[in-house]
């Protein structure tokens, strides 16, 4: 209610300042600009184009007037999740905003920065150093009443750090990093260094016990792979950012030390922890483990579970679910999407093949990630089916709970499935890389991206991919590993076969 009142007051202020006509004109201009820099053209599938536009409109409605606030999981469209917001913003919504509406992305990251004092208090409450961000919140205080699928998801600290790093890399906004971001990174790194320990039983590797990963059907476990890898990433980002701040902005570095009491030995410890993090792997199965004990559980009887018993959490007691090998949403698979360089291509493919059959997709956050991982593994039929499922979550009410509000993160996940999955886009240490492929029956997939000071368009057709810089500086990127430079007056094209194959027709109707 307070958030609605704040936004209404802002709208009223604008209307009084400029009059109705001025406010309307400003609104129309913002909406036009949003579509110009954001719309993904999915030419050839009217249902697909409609679903893509609906997803983008959902994000527009939820985020573009979010100044000073976060983005609730349902936006302002319903009472689901009581207006709380989670890791959804950083992991799903921010990738879209970073590449299309960076000012909004910055505002949302600053909202987390303003939560830092409350995150420090929360860390002390649960016996940690540094800062621990709440699993679900509005004002920075923890609002989750169930720790096993709430506070135990410590990975939220790393999700926020990852999003901050992605924002800085793509936009080049070092002002946010130097003035605010490094302090957040320091405190989250302190939390990880304090949470785990170097275990003699694990060959002196750094272990993190009793946490919950993204899969909420497997809770309070030892060495959740996603958590450990993301923690290591958080620690590396923090150490690198501190060193960069020291070299590039001595005044801000002195201010950081004064505010946090940072010592050089801490930074050295973070690097050691990141290098020595324990990664669970099973030689017999030949695959990375979701956690230490995942393979010890009984396999879920998928064949004996009728369709009307999904989602499982609505029909089975949590303790029944916790005793089985069954996954609510992408977990290890999500790690391969967010941190692809931590795995070989063969390892990513094996992980998808192993965990995909165990994943129910009971979370609306799963299908989009499965689509990206499937495309990365060359499983294009699966990728397209998951893309369809992600696109249909709200427009066809496939989850059956649209009455509680739209799924904002899933809408952003549809963009991710198109851009990361079929555009094959990744931002790596050397810059942007693309491995594009067309969805079935699509004649064209056109993707706009804001990269630093450049507006890049990737135009994918069956026999040609063309890169355009519509404004800004030249862009250096890679197309299937081949480096190229594209500038405003010199588009770059690559010829080849960029079609997958004929799969099932695209349908976006509700089940039953």
């Amino acid at each position: 209610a307070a958030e609605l009142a704040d936004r209404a007051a802002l709208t009223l202020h604008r209307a009084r300042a400029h009059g109705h006509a001025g406010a309307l004109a400003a609104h129309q201009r913002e909406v036009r600009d949003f579509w110009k820099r954001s719309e993904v053209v999915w030419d050839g599938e009217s249902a697909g184009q409609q679903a893509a536009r609906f997803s983008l409109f959902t994000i527009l409605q939820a985020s573009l007037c979010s100044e000073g606030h976060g983005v609730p999981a349902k936006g302002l469209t319903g009472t689901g999740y009581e207006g709380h917001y989670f890791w959804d913003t950083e992991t799903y919504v921010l990738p879209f905003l970073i590449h299309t509406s960076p000012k909004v992305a910055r505002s949302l990251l600053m909202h987390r920065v303003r939560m830092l004092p409350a995150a420090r208090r929360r860390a002390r409450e649960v016996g940690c150093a540094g800062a621990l961000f709440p699993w679900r919140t509005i004002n920075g205080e923890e609002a989750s009443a169930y720790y096993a699928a709430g506070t135990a998801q410590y990975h939220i600290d790393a999700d926020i750090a990852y999003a901050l790093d992605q924002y800085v890399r793509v936009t080049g906004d070092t002002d946010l990093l130097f003035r605010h971001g490094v302090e957040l990174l320091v405190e989250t790194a302190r939390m990880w260094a304090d949470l785990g320990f170097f275990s003699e039983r694990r060959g002196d590797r750094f272990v993190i016990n009793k946490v919950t990963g993204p899969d909420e059907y497997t809770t309070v476990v030892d060495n959740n792979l996603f958590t450990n890898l993301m923690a290591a990433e958080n620690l590396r980002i923090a150490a690198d950012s501190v060193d960069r701040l020291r070299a590039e902005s001595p005044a801000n570095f002195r201010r950081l030390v004064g505010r946090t009491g940072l010592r050089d030995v801490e930074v050295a410890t973070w690097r050691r922890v990141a290098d020595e993090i324990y990664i669970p792997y099973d030689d017999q199965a030949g695959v990375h483990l979701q956690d230490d004990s995942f393979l010890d559980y009984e396999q879920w009887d998928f064949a004996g579970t009728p369709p009307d018993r999904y989602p499982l959490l609505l029909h089975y007691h949590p303790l029944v679910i916790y005793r089985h090998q069954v996954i609510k949403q992408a977990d290890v698979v999500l790690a391969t999407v967010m941190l692809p360089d931590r795995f070989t291509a063969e390892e990513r493919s094996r992980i998808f093949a192993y965990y995909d059959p165990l994943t129910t997709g009971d979370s609306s956050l799963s299908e989009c990630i499965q689509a990206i991982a499937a495309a990365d593994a060359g499983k294009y039929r699966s990728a397209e089916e998951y893309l369809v499922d992600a696109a249909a979550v709200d427009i066809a009410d496939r989850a059956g709970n649209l009455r509680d509000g739209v799924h904002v993160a899933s809408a952003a996940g549809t963009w991710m499935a198109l851009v990361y999955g079929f555009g094959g886009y990744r931002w790596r240490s050397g810059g942007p890389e693309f491995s594009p492929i067309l969805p079935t029956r699509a004649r064209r997939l056109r993707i706009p991206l804001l990269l630093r000071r450049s507006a890049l368009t990737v135009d994918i057709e069956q026999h040609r991919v063309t890169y355009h810089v519509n404004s800004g500086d030249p862009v250096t990127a890679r197309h299937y590993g081949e480096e190229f430079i594209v500038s405003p007056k010199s588009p770059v094209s690559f010829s080849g076969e960029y079609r997958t194959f004929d799969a099932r027709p695209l349908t976006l109707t509700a089940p039953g």
Side-chain angles (χ1 to χ4, degrees):
E3 186 168 346
L4 281 169
D6 287 346
R7 295 192 187 184
L10 178 62
T11 302
L12 181 61
H13 170 75
R14 288 172 173 171
R16 286 173 174 169
H18 305 288
H20 177 269
L24 178 61
H27 167 77
Q28 291 172 331
R29 183 171 59 252
E30 286 196 27
V31 171
R32 281 196 304 268
D33 290 345
F34 171 86
W35 287 110
K36 181 179 179 180
R37 65 179 183 266
S38 306
E39 183 173 17
V40 176
V41 174
W42 188 349
D43 187 15
E45 282 283 11
S46 59
Q49 184 67 79
Q50 181 188 25
R53 286 174 175 161
F54 184 82
S55 295
L56 296 181
F57 175 75
T58 295
I59 310 169
L60 179 158
Q61 196 176 48
S63 67
L64 255 66
C65 288
S66 60
E67 299 101 323
H69 300 281
V71 175
K74 299 293 186 181
L76 299 178
T77 64
T79 58
Y81 295 117
E82 295 81 36
H84 296 140
Y85 38 94
F86 306 71
W87 69 313
D88 302 17
T89 297
E90 285 76 25
T91 308
Y92 293 82
V93 180
L94 272 175
F96 167 78
L97 294 173
I98 288 169
H99 291 92
T100 60
S101 299
K103 290 182 180 178
V104 180
R106 191 185 203 276
S107 172
L108 293 172
L109 288 167
M110 281 301 302
H111 185 56
R112 287 294 193 184
V113 168
R114 287 189 289 271
M115 287 184 185
L116 192 54
R120 287 187 174 113
R121 293 193 299 271
R122 182 58 174 167
R124 291 195 295 271
E125 288 174 2
V126 299
C128 290
L132 177 61
F133 284 90
W135 180 243
R136 56 187 295 173
T137 190
I138 292 177
N139 63 356
E141 303 296 331
E142 178 64 81
S144 174
Y146 184 49
Y147 79 90
T151 299
Q153 297 197 58
Y154 290 86
H155 65 83
I156 189 168
D157 266 21
D159 304 329
I160 294 168
Y162 180 98
L164 172 62
D165 181 63
Q166 184 185 38
Y167 168 82
V168 173
R169 287 176 182 271
V170 173
T171 66
D173 183 0
T174 56
D175 178 72
L176 175 64
L177 178 67
F178 290 170
R179 293 176 58 200
H180 307 287
V182 181
E183 184 174 350
L184 183 150
L185 294 170
V186 164
E187 298 293 21
T188 52
R190 283 173 165 168
M191 192 281 294
W192 291 117
D194 185 57
L195 186 64
F197 68 101
F198 291 98
S199 170
E200 292 184 9
R201 290 175 56 82
R202 296 295 184 186
D204 290 327
R205 293 285 181 174
F206 191 84
V207 301
I208 303 175
N209 294 332
K210 305 310 173 195
V211 299
T212 299
D215 170 27
E216 295 177 350
Y217 284 173
T218 313
T219 65
V220 194
V221 299
D222 296 342
N223 294 308
N224 169 257
L225 179 138
F226 178 87
T227 300
N228 283 17
L229 282 178
M230 289 292 287
E233 189 73 4
N234 190 162
L235 290 158
R236 288 191 188 96
I237 292 168
D240 290 347
S241 298
V242 167
D243 288 349
R244 183 177 182 184
L245 184 68
R246 189 199 312 263
E248 298 182 22
S249 184
N252 277 314
F253 178 75
R254 290 191 295 271
R255 175 175 167 271
L256 174 73
V257 172
R259 288 178 61 87
T260 65
L262 178 68
R263 296 169 295 135
D264 289 345
V265 67
E266 290 186 271
V267 180
T269 298
W270 300 342
R271 291 198 184 279
R272 182 190 170 204
V273 171
D275 291 341
E276 300 295 329
I277 200 80
Y278 174 71
I279 306 301
Y281 185 89
D282 188 82
D283 291 323
Q284 184 175 351
V287 72
H288 290 77
L289 292 178
Q290 183 167 302
D291 60 77
D292 282 350
S293 57
F294 187 77
L295 293 189
D296 295 333
Y297 304 142
E298 182 181 0
Q299 294 187 357
W300 186 268
D301 181 13
F302 289 98
T305 305
D308 62 1
R309 301 288 284 179
Y310 293 92
L312 300 182
L313 77 163
L314 299 183
H315 301 282
Y316 298 91
H317 194 282
L319 292 176
V320 174
I321 298 173
Y322 295 165
R323 287 193 288 266
H324 289 84
Q325 288 184 46
V326 61
I327 299 172
K328 182 183 180 185
Q329 66 189 75
D331 195 302
V332 182
V333 170
L334 178 60
T336 69
V337 170
M338 294 181 68
L339 301 170
D341 294 339
R342 300 292 179 258
F343 307 86
T344 67
E346 180 184 359
E347 287 172 340
R348 296 197 301 269
S349 181
R350 294 176 74 176
I351 286 170
F352 177 78
Y354 189 88
Y355 287 101
D356 185 52
L358 305 178
T359 305
T360 63
D362 283 352
S363 167
S364 63
L365 302 180
S366 197
E367 283 87 353
C368 54
I369 299 301
Q370 299 289 102
I372 298 167
D376 179 53
K379 305 292 185 182
Y380 295 115
R381 187 183 198 89
S382 295
E384 292 188 18
E385 290 174 349
Y386 277 125
L387 170 62
V388 171
D389 289 342
V393 164
D394 282 335
I395 200 168
D397 193 17
R398 291 189 64 85
N401 58 5
L402 188 58
R403 63 186 178 277
D404 299 324
V406 299
H407 299 76
V408 176
S410 179
T414 299
W415 179 89
M416 291 175 66
L418 285 166
V419 175
Y420 289 33
F422 289 89
Y425 166 69
R426 298 290 191 280
W427 184 283
R428 299 185 187 271
S429 57
E433 298 186 6
F434 299 90
S435 303
I437 195 79
L438 274 178
T440 298
R441 295 185 180 84
R443 292 187 295 268
R444 168 175 286 175
L445 191 63
R446 190 164 65 242
I447 299 166
L449 297 168
L450 295 180
L451 305 176
R452 299 290 173 96
R453 292 174 294 276
S454 304
L456 177 72
T457 298
V458 185
D459 197 350
I460 311 166
E461 300 174 278
Q462 181 173 352
H463 301 296
R464 183 175 64 244
V465 174
T466 305
Y467 298 88
H468 304 264
V469 170
N470 303 308
S471 63
D473 300 332
V475 173
T476 300
R478 290 183 179 274
H479 174 88
Y480 282 99
E482 181 179 346
E483 185 173 286
F484 66 94
I485 300 175
V486 55
S487 58
K489 296 183 178 180
S490 302
V492 175
S493 293
F494 295 88
S495 298
E497 180 58 48
Y498 299 102
R499 170 78 67 191
T500 55
F501 52 82
D502 278 347
R504 66 179 174 87
L506 181 67
T507 58
L508 296 173
T509 56

